[in-house]
Amino acid sequence: MANIYDIDTGGAPPALEARDLSVFYGMKQAVKEVSLDVPAKRVVALVGPSGCGKSTFLRCFNRMNDLVPTARVEGEARFGGVDLYGSEVDPVEVRRRIGMVFQKPNPFPKSIYDNVAFGPRVNGFRGDLDGLVEESLKQSALWDEVADRLSDSAYALSGGQQQRLCIARTLAVRPDVVLMDEPASALDPLATQKIEELIYELKERYTIVIVTHNMQQAARISDYTAFLYMGELVEYGPTDNIFTNPREERTEAYVTGRFG
Amino acid sequence: MSAGSELIPSRHDEHGRRRKYLGTAFAIVAGLATVVGVIALIVLIVDVAIDGLPRVTLEFLNSFASRFPERAGVKAALAGSVWILGLTTVISFPISIGAAIYLEEYAAGNWVTRVIQTNIANLAGVPSIVYGILGLALFVRALQLDRTILSGALTLSLVVMPVIIIGAQEAIRAVPSTIREAAFGLGATRWQVVRHQVLPMAMPGILTGTILALSRAVGETAPLIMVGAVGFIAFTPEGPMDQFTVLPLQIYSWISRPQEEFRELAAAGIIVLLLLLLTMNATAILVRNRYQSRG
């Protein structure tokens, strides 16, 4: 069992906590009793070979697994000390506070403006929507490229721009946590670099958990790294330690590229 | 021999030549199959136009059926068809879309849903005369709606609903799940996801399926005979509780008469029916394009 107490939160309570979290798809157990803390305003990378359960684990934190009829979650996933799977918790509110960016850019077939405004609108936002859209697009470093064509279709943007639009869309509902499921895996190196720079800036204000296949990416952008293998948390700790001085042999083998 | 010389087929390459001929032969057969359908349609239209076109006049559209061919027209039948079509649309469209949304977005994937699904698929294949008998027993007799437009529209709604539901389900299923995830991920409720993302994206497909189903309904005769559409009506219906006749029935009643003039009237009636269908399809395309350009 990996040691979860390596994480120094500076005395502040962690933003997210997993306690013996398991996920089943029918009879198959995809995530096996994972426990870890995600400190606030830090970037945590989840790494591991394909099918190791890292995306499934990530999706526990905004109850996205609810949408999969066969999925069943056991254990606790806490946000601000509250179990997200508690009977009184509203999954819709969970998803507003804990936003998500997906693997492939998935803008709505609407204008750039309407993409960003959708979240605030469905959540009953009252106030300066134009200002909120502008601020969100600036936060995601897209404003300068789209300021003069907000009413154009989002599909007219390049893949990298679309992904930054999806990030802006997520930020527009003012979440506390942003979950990212391989956000750059469908993008070219330049677009990837932009996303990485963006993540670096966003952690000033947001807690970020990112799933990635790319070891260099994890090393570059994350403060902490968790290595999952076959549904189990093998090792979790400060990213430097995981990459330069892992305790587990399996972690070392994976991060140095010997398997996976 | 250089590698490039292989690009030029040798005269002795039996296999290569044979598969080339086969490819060409298949293209010709497929092309002929297409032509057969088009030719049949052209022959039908030309034949009908030669007989009927001279009869399609404003007077023809504005006259009631009559014993005298020179005075007979399709006014009552055209009005009846438009009434039936309108009412059928109003009844069947919302119910079908509701059912399709429920089955695709809400229903659990259990055996109850599967039974319902199988039933709908089977209902789509039930001959329309069976619906006519049901309509007669249920709407005309049991609910005492009598032989009215309402009974006819309710019966035709039963005919088209399974088809519209299945078409709408396919259109809804074609909306990528990534769009749903994105919307849920922003804190939208299921209703908001359906209302703002899924339905607008599925609407062109839903409308196409609906129009195809309704086009079939315009040509339906059998179930309407069962619920009491009459061949001879000398007034235009004023409301859903009036008696009625429809174009296909009027055409049939003319064609069954011995006189040459009535056969020409039947051809003219077919032209009017075709025009009604074309208008419907054009409307569908317009509505669909509007939805798509907004998307």
Side-chain angles (χ1 to χ4, degrees), chain A residues 59 64 67 92 95 102 106-110 118 122-123 169-170 173, chain B residues 178-179 181-190 192 196-197 201 295:
Chain A
R59 284 162 175 252
M64 225 44 170
L67 305 179
V92 172
R95 297 187 194 114
F102 299 84
N106 55 353
F108 302 126
K110 296 173 185 286
F118 177 76
V122 296
N123 286 293
R169 182 174 71 180
T170 304
V173 293
Chain B
T178 54
I179 292 292
E181 286 188 336
F184 277 119
L186 292 167
T189 61
R190 192 169 283 275
Q192 286 171 325
H196 296 291
Q197 303 297 344
M201 280 185 88

Side-chain angles (χ1 to χ4, degrees), chain B residues 217-278:
Chain B
V218 172
E220 280 292 354
T221 323
L224 293 179
I225 294 179
M226 292 303 298
V227 297
V230 276
F232 187 90
I233 288 247
F235 59 88
T236 48
E238 307 265 299
M241 299 315 282
D242 281 349
Q243 283 196 311
F244 69 102
T245 186
V246 287
L247 280 169
L249 201 55
Q250 183 69 67
I251 293 165
Y252 180 73
S253 112
W254 276 334
I255 234 163
S256 56
R257 299 193 190 199
Q259 298 97 317
E260 178 66 21
E261 291 92 333
F262 279 110
R263 287 199 38 232
E264 289 172 19
L265 282 176
I270 290 171
I271 293 173
V272 173
L273 183 58
L274 283 176
L275 285 176
L276 184 62
L277 275 170
L278 286 178

Side-chain angles (χ1 to χ4, degrees), chain B:
Chain B
M1 200 157 75
S2 73
S5 68
E6 286 172 18
L7 297 177
I8 300 153
S10 134
R11 239 176 264 180
H12 312 291
D13 180 7
E14 266 307 308
H15 173 74
R17 280 170 64 181
R18 237 193 78 209
R19 67 175 182 172
K20 231 183 197 173
Y21 287 138
L22 268 176
T24 316
F26 180 74
I28 292 172
V29 169
L32 281 176
T34 315
V35 171
V36 168
V38 176
I39 287 180
L41 186 66
I42 291 173
V43 167
L44 177 80
I45 289 177
V46 169
D47 183 49
V48 166
I50 290 171
D51 284 350
L53 213 47
R55 291 274 186 179
V56 183
T57 57
L58 268 183
E59 213 190 326
F60 177 70
L61 293 177
N62 213 13
S63 306
F64 294 107
S66 164
R67 283 188 293 132
F68 308 104
E70 61 275 15
R71 272 199 249 151
V74 285
K75 190 177 185 181
L78 182 58
S81 274
V82 171
W83 261 103
I84 286 279
L85 190 65
L87 213 52
T88 303
T89 311
V90 169
I91 296 166
S92 61
F93 188 70
I95 298 179
S96 304
I97 303 309
I101 290 173
Y102 179 78
L103 286 170
E104 286 304 313
E105 301 288 333
Y106 289 89
N110 55 21
W111 67 270
V112 181
T113 313
R114 280 195 293 277
V115 167
I116 293 174
Q117 192 68 66
T118 313
N119 259 308
I120 291 173
N122 284 332
L123 286 175
V126 170
S128 56
I129 186 86
V130 177
Y131 287 105
I133 297 167
L134 175 66
L136 178 65
L138 184 63
F139 304 126
V140 178
R141 301 269 160 75
L143 296 177
Q144 300 193 325
L145 295 175
D146 221 344
R147 296 159 179 273
T148 55
I149 289 178
L150 185 59
S151 293
L154 285 168
T155 307
L156 272 192
S157 293
L158 292 181
V159 176
V160 296
M161 275 197 296
V163 184
I164 301 181
I165 292 173
I166 290 170
Q169 277 186 280
E170 259 154 39
I172 290 171
R173 225 175 292 150
V175 175
S177 60
T178 54
I179 292 292
R180 289 186 188 80
E181 286 188 336
F184 277 119
L186 292 167
T189 61
R190 192 169 283 275
W191 158 241
Q192 286 171 325
V193 174
V194 171
R195 164 76 185 76
H196 296 291
Q197 303 297 344
V198 176
L199 269 190
M201 280 185 88
M203 203 42 95
I206 293 177
L207 290 176
T208 308
T210 305
I211 291 294
L212 282 177
L214 289 173
S215 303
R216 234 197 80 189
V218 172
E220 280 292 354
T221 323
L224 293 179
I225 294 179
M226 292 303 298
V227 297
V230 276
F232 187 90
I233 288 247
F235 59 88
T236 48
E238 307 265 299
M241 299 315 282
D242 281 349
Q243 283 196 311
F244 69 102
T245 186
V246 287
L247 280 169
L249 201 55
Q250 183 69 67
I251 293 165
Y252 180 73
S253 112
W254 276 334
I255 234 163
S256 56
R257 299 193 190 199
Q259 298 97 317
E260 178 66 21
E261 291 92 333
F262 279 110
R263 287 199 38 232
E264 289 172 19
L265 282 176
I270 290 171
I271 293 173
V272 173
L273 183 58
L274 283 176
L275 285 176
L276 184 62
L277 275 170
L278 286 178
T279 316
M280 282 173 62
N281 285 341
T283 317
I285 293 167
L286 276 178
V287 176
R288 192 175 61 198
N289 288 349
R290 239 197 84 215
Y291 259 101
Q292 273 167 343
S293 62
R294 270 201 316 186

Side-chain angles (χ1 to χ4, degrees), chain A residues 27-86:
Chain A
M27 298 303 285
K28 190 180 170 295
Q29 189 169 6
V31 175
K32 295 171 185 165
E33 298 180 10
V34 172
S35 298
L36 61 76
D37 285 357
V38 176
K41 295 184 182 170
R42 293 287 183 277
V43 177
V44 171
L46 303 176
V47 301
S50 295
C52 73
K54 51 195 191 307
S55 286
T56 304
F57 177 69
L58 186 76
R59 284 162 175 252
C60 290
F61 286 108
N62 66 345
R63 292 194 55 171
M64 225 44 170
N65 289 327
D66 289 18
L67 305 179
V68 182
T70 55
R72 184 162 54 85
V73 177
E74 280 178 9
E76 286 190 10
R78 294 189 210 132
F79 167 72
V82 176
D83 182 15
L84 296 170
Y85 288 86

Side-chain angles (χ1 to χ4, degrees), chain A residues 192-228:
Chain A
T192 301
Q193 194 192 343
K194 279 198 171 158
I195 299 282
E196 288 183 11
E197 285 166 6
L198 184 55
I199 290 170
Y200 195 79
E201 283 168 27
L202 289 177
K203 75 171 181 181
E204 299 259 309
R205 294 176 60 172
Y206 304 94
T207 305
I208 295 171
V209 186
I210 178 170
V211 166
T212 178
H213 257 119
N214 182 332
M215 286 305 112
Q216 286 79 29
Q217 184 171 66
R220 278 194 301 265
I221 61 174
S222 68
D223 301 301
Y224 300 94
T225 297
F227 172 54
L228 280 87

